[in-house]
Amino acid sequence: MSDALTRTADAGTSAPPKPNVVVAVLALAGIVVSLMQTLVIPIVPELPTLLHASASNTAWAVTATLLAAAVATPVVGRLGDMIGKRRMLVVSILLLVSGSVVCALADSLVPMIVGRTLQGLAAAVVPLGISIMRDALPADRLAGSTALMSASLGVGGALGLPTAAFIADRWDWHILFWASSALGAVALVLVLLIVPESTVRTGGRFDLVGSLGLSAGLVSLLLAVSKGGDWRWASGITLGLGAAAVVILVGWGFYELRATHPLVDLRTTAKPQVLFTNLASVALGFSMFAMSLVLPQLLQLPTRTGYGLGRSMLTVGLVLAPQGLVMMAMSAVSAAVTRAKGPKVTLMIGALIVAAGYGLNIVLMSEVWHLILVSCVIGAGVGFTYGALPALIMGAVDPSQTGAANSLNTLMRSLGTSFASALAGVILAQMTTDFGGHALPSENGFKVVMAIGAGAALLAFLVAALIPRRQPAAPTAAEADEQTEAATTKA
């Protein structure tokens, strides 16, 4: 364990909350935060009218959340390790509630972007929750609990879409954000009342230069990737941002290697188990986005195209909703496999299931039940992989670094999703069919995107195969305390 590791004194003599209750509250917080991913999807086409702005400008309501999440996740994770994971969890949920209220009061573009940025700053809730579990839960509860917490990302996204579509169809769109602020407030109160502060801290000062460098590099990279299609890929601004991202991130890496208290311990991330897990996460993030892009379009395109199903956004949400339930159910199975065979095997199984789901989608895409089946198969694979990733990360890093390490892994998945969005957008823009004078993505274009999704999942499988054989995980805080007490008693 790190020499910088310190523990806070036990406060009071009240009995600690039951693990089941702590896990339930943390999972609820994860679901509430993941709702932000799909909250605005039903109203995106209407945002130019609602906010009195152009479509290119209202797209920033989505892009701002992406950029804020990328910047906040590693920074908040590191601060959690330093000053308290529960404390930063509370701060993150407060930012979410604040952003939701700002959006609920917005009638123009600027406050909407401000609110969505604040919502994006709450993205570290899930990795923080996983890190708190590692520090607070008994060892036999850790695998299942972290798998459930990881699954909350997908569960919130899957259940949020039909709920948001239902609300947007029947009431004023501001209610979407009032509802999210209310859910956030409930999660905040429950965290304050029930979730204990982690006793594991790491010493040192906050790496301000490193955080600014990483933020500048990530913003440059994600702007180039997410807006390249609008700005043209060969334009000066896109190429300039891409080049700036490379230069900044390389310089940042050299600085971090020499920093006394780095934002990201690159030597730890270079450990084979951490490195290959993060690389697999990029591939999985890439793979999982393909379904989110393809299935809604197939469902909504007109039936006269010959492959579209002509359904509403509400139907899209209902088709994708079972995926979230499957992910939650699979988290328990994922934990059982992890306990029996190790998280590496769980990750490999999950990647193969995801690849199989995309292969199934290539041949089954003409009926609504086909797409429900496909989304459930892919959801099952995601449930496996989301449970395995934090187990692999926490099995290789010091307990005092779990917040930063889990946050970096979450960031890797987000980067994969951003790259997938850009590539799929290019493919669907090039492979089109004429429909009443309008260019629509062709059936073969969708099949190519799904084939790439399957290929990315298979790549994740191959990368996961390079992860070293199962090794004993670093002890949790509870285990460390037990070992200390046992040693003291024996002495």
Side-chain angles (χ1 to χ4, degrees):
M1 217 175 276
S2 170
D3 291 337
L5 185 66
T6 61
R7 297 185 184 278
T8 59
D10 292 332
T13 58
S14 59
K18 294 181 179 180
N20 286 344
V21 179
V22 174
V23 171
V25 170
L26 291 173
L28 173 64
I31 290 172
V32 170
V33 169
S34 65
L35 286 171
M36 299 308 104
Q37 299 173 356
T38 52
L39 190 66
V40 298
I41 289 179
I43 62 172
V44 164
E46 302 174 30
L47 282 179
T49 301
L50 297 173
L51 300 177
H52 315 291
S54 66
S56 60
N57 286 334
T58 56
W60 285 100
V62 177
T63 305
T65 307
L66 170 70
L67 297 178
V71 169
T73 301
V75 172
V76 173
R78 171 61 177 156
L79 287 172
D81 287 336
M82 291 178 61
I83 64 176
K85 301 178 182 73
R86 176 181 177 271
R87 183 175 297 173
M88 293 311 302
L89 182 66
V90 169
V91 170
S92 296
I93 299 176
L94 279 172
L95 289 170
L96 171 68
V97 174
S98 301
S100 298
V101 171
V102 171
C103 290
L105 296 172
D107 283 309
S108 59
L109 181 61
V110 172
M112 174 63 84
I113 292 176
V114 171
R116 291 289 290 166
T117 301
L118 290 171
Q119 287 181 328
L121 293 175
V125 162
V126 171
L128 284 172
I130 291 172
S131 301
I132 290 172
M133 289 177 179
R134 196 240 178 119
D135 295 342
L137 297 182
D140 61 339
R141 295 295 311 277
L142 190 58
S145 300
T146 56
L148 179 63
M149 187 71 189
S150 294
S152 70
L153 277 171
V155 172
L159 299 182
L161 185 56
T163 304
F166 181 81
I167 292 174
D169 281 347
R170 285 159 178 77
W171 296 291
D172 182 81
W173 65 275
H174 293 91
I175 293 178
L176 289 171
F177 295 101
W178 285 122
S180 69
S181 62
L183 288 172
V186 170
L188 177 63
V189 171
L190 291 174
V191 167
L192 289 171
L193 292 176
I194 293 171
V195 176
E197 178 59 270
S198 168
T199 58
V200 180
R201 305 283 176 85
T202 183
R205 297 186 302 273
F206 180 70
D207 182 9
L208 179 61
V209 174
S211 67
L212 292 175
L214 180 60
S215 299
L218 289 174
V219 168
S220 299
L221 176 63
L222 290 173
L223 275 177
V225 170
S226 62
K227 304 296 287 185
D230 296 332
W231 293 339
R232 291 183 296 108
W233 294 105
S235 67
I237 187 171
T238 303
L239 295 176
L241 284 169
V246 172
V247 172
I248 292 172
L249 290 175
V250 169
W252 171 81
F254 280 110
Y255 174 83
E256 290 295 281
L257 288 172
R258 289 162 175 75
T260 305
H261 303 288
L263 178 72
V264 177
D265 188 342
L266 294 181
R267 291 179 176 83
T268 296
T269 61
K271 292 180 179 180
Q273 182 162 323
V274 178
L275 175 63
F276 290 124
T277 300
N278 283 333
L279 291 176
S281 297
V282 175
L284 285 168
F286 189 103
S287 175
M288 289 182 289
F289 181 79
M291 178 193 64
S292 302
L293 181 69
V294 169
L295 266 60
Q297 292 195 60
L298 284 174
L299 284 162
Q300 290 184 283
L301 284 174
T303 55
R304 287 177 293 164
T305 59
Y307 51 90
L309 300 178
R311 305 301 174 122
S312 66
M313 176 58 74
L314 180 57
T315 302
V316 172
L318 293 173
V319 167
L320 296 179
Q323 178 199 26
L325 301 177
V326 170
M327 286 179 62
M328 183 170 288
M330 285 298 105
S331 65
V333 181
S334 167
V337 175
T338 294
R339 284 191 292 267
K341 300 294 183 181
K344 172 182 175 178
V345 172
T346 307
L347 178 58
M348 294 172 71
I349 291 173
L352 288 178
I353 296 173
V354 171
Y358 281 114
L360 197 63
N361 200 183
I362 293 174
V363 297
L364 293 178
M365 55 186 294
S366 59
E367 301 286 345
V368 171
W369 73 266
H370 290 172
L371 302 186
I372 294 175
L373 174 63
V374 166
S375 69
C376 287
V377 172
I378 295 175
V382 172
F384 267 81
T385 60
Y386 271 15
L389 292 172
L392 284 164
I393 293 295
M394 292 189 296
V397 303
D398 189 278
S400 64
Q401 297 178 328
T402 52
N406 280 319
S407 296
L408 182 63
N409 182 254
T410 300
L411 175 62
M412 293 299 103
R413 276 180 273 174
S414 299
L415 291 177
T417 298
S418 300
F419 296 144
S421 174
L423 179 59
V426 170
I427 292 171
L428 295 180
Q430 296 298 318
M431 301 183 69
T432 61
T433 183
D434 182 75
F435 182 76
H438 299 282
L440 297 178
S442 67
E443 183 177 12
N444 286 334
F446 288 126
K447 289 183 176 180
V448 168
V449 172
M450 289 184 285
I452 292 174
L458 291 175
L459 176 61
F461 170 83
L462 295 175
V463 172
L466 299 175
I467 296 173
R469 290 182 179 275
R470 185 178 183 182
Q471 296 177 352
T476 64
E479 292 174 314
D481 288 338
E482 291 173 3
Q483 293 170 4
T484 302
E485 290 174 7
T488 302
T489 301
K490 187 177 294 185

